[in-house]
Amino acid sequence: MVEKCDGLPLAINILGSLFHSKLERKHWEKVLSCSILDLPGGNDDILPALSLSYCFLPSCLKRCFAYCAMFPKGFEFEKEELVLLWMVGGFLDSPNNNIVIKGIGDECFMELLSRSFFGEATNLYGGCERLQKLPTAIGNLKQLRHLDVSNTNIEELPESICTLCNSQTLLLRWCDGVQKLLDDMWKLSSLLCLAMDRSNVDEMPVQLNMLEKLHSLDMFVVGKAGGSHLAELRGLQHLWRRLLIKGLENVANVDHARKANLNEMGDLDD
């Protein structure tokens, strides 16, 4: 098998990923006899090994990797961003049409990474900092499922965004100018992810608990009198990963904290 890899470390690593959990002799012989390994790789002798690894991928991983063909060569992305795109594209298996299996996207990504389909990068792309305003007409894109305005100079969101009932992700990371979310955000009934990391959002809408399908919320701001309160988190039973809670000094009613019942959300990081 080493001879088949022609001494290339990456090729050996790729084939090793096929064997590490397969101890049956027949599986090794099947891979060894595969004609793909004998195909010329042209200027890149690693391609036959990658092709072989792809052939042995489960169908769900093949779909996820094939989706990445839309990216240009050398394109750099974050794991979280790609998993979200897989989610909204319907590439992740789920028990029904609404609830995505928690963590399956991460598992798919790490499996593809271990098989050398992805490589780790040191620099990640940024958003279009020149973007300062979203057009009101964005509300006409009724089938829009993924909206990412991260790392832009926008200062407010148009009210028409709240009519995008099919939208599953809204990413506002590194948006220094956005300080307030829309009052009718609760109308985004299909929303799975609301990300505001490194933004200056200091006020959140009430009735956020109406977003029952929400899986990922990286920040929640407790409002002052009449604003959002901790008890609203109780309706968000599918939250997982990290949740940063700000404005705890605004908690006026201890009962709100009890009703939030954060201890019962076992999928949240400690």
Side-chain angles (χ1 to χ4, degrees):
M1 185 62 71
V2 175
E3 292 178 359
K4 285 271 189 178
C5 295
D6 198 27
L8 294 173
L10 184 54
I12 295 173
N13 180 64
I14 292 172
L15 294 184
S17 68
L18 291 175
F19 295 141
H20 79 280
S21 60
K22 303 290 185 179
L23 302 180
E24 300 87 356
R25 180 185 179 91
K26 61 180 180 180
H27 178 80
W28 286 58
E29 292 176 343
K30 181 179 180 181
V31 175
L32 183 61
S33 63
C34 186
S35 60
I36 293 179
L37 282 175
D38 297 319
L39 293 176
N43 295 327
D44 191 350
D45 291 333
I46 203 65
L47 289 179
L50 281 173
S51 298
L52 178 64
S53 185
Y54 179 81
C55 286
F56 283 87
L57 283 178
S59 58
C60 60
L61 289 180
K62 285 184 177 179
R63 293 196 303 269
C64 290
F65 183 68
Y67 175 85
C68 298
M70 65 178 289
F71 301 130
K73 183 178 180 179
F75 183 79
E76 298 180 0
F77 50 80
E78 294 187 46
K79 180 182 72 171
E80 298 295 329
E81 303 297 331
L82 183 57
V83 169
L84 285 175
L85 290 173
W86 285 341
M87 287 171 57
V88 300
F91 294 98
L92 302 180
D93 294 330
S94 59
N96 55 56
N97 292 330
N98 296 324
I99 305 301
V100 178
I101 297 177
K102 295 178 176 65
I104 191 171
D106 282 345
E107 292 175 4
C108 288
F109 184 94
M110 296 308 297
E111 183 67 21
L112 289 171
L113 180 64
S114 70
R115 293 173 183 249
S116 301
F117 285 101
F118 298 146
E120 296 190 41
T122 56
N123 297 313
L124 295 172
Y125 73 99
C128 178
E129 296 184 355
R130 292 174 295 177
L131 180 62
Q132 297 182 345
K133 185 178 181 180
L134 286 176
T136 301
I138 195 172
N140 296 330
L141 304 176
K142 300 303 182 184
Q143 299 304 316
L144 186 66
R145 302 178 72 180
H146 179 72
L147 180 57
D148 184 358
V149 292
S150 299
N151 200 22
T152 62
N153 290 328
I154 65 171
E155 296 184 355
E156 60 181 13
L157 302 172
E159 294 287 344
S160 58
I161 282 182
C162 296
T163 66
L164 300 175
C165 58
N166 290 309
S167 181
Q168 296 185 352
T169 61
L170 177 58
L171 310 183
L172 304 168
R173 298 188 179 109
W174 296 91
C175 288
D176 297 337
V178 178
Q179 297 183 339
K180 183 179 183 298
L181 298 181
L182 300 170
D183 292 335
D184 290 337
M185 190 76 74
W186 60 272
K187 294 182 179 179
L188 298 175
S189 56
S190 298
L191 201 64
L192 297 174
C193 174
L194 176 58
M196 301 167 286
D197 186 40
R198 306 298 179 91
S199 72
N200 286 326
V201 173
D202 58 10
E203 185 177 352
M204 304 192 73
V206 296
Q207 294 185 297
L208 201 66
N209 58 320
M210 298 290 288
L211 301 178
E212 296 180 350
K213 297 178 184 177
L214 200 63
H215 277 65
S216 178
L217 177 68
D218 56 9
M219 183 174 71
F220 182 86
V221 183
V222 180
K224 298 180 180 180
S228 57
H229 50 77
L230 275 179
E232 294 187 30
L233 291 174
R234 182 167 185 167
L236 307 178
Q237 293 298 312
H238 301 297
L239 289 184
W240 66 307
R241 294 178 179 163
R242 182 179 64 90
L243 172 62
L244 172 64
I245 300 178
K246 302 173 68 174
L248 288 174
E249 68 277 7
N250 296 324
V251 177
N253 190 332
V254 177
D255 192 49
H256 287 169
R258 294 196 184 98
K259 289 181 178 179
N261 206 21
L262 296 177
N263 290 333
E264 297 300 319
M265 295 184 181
D267 292 324
L268 284 176
D269 295 339
D270 295 333

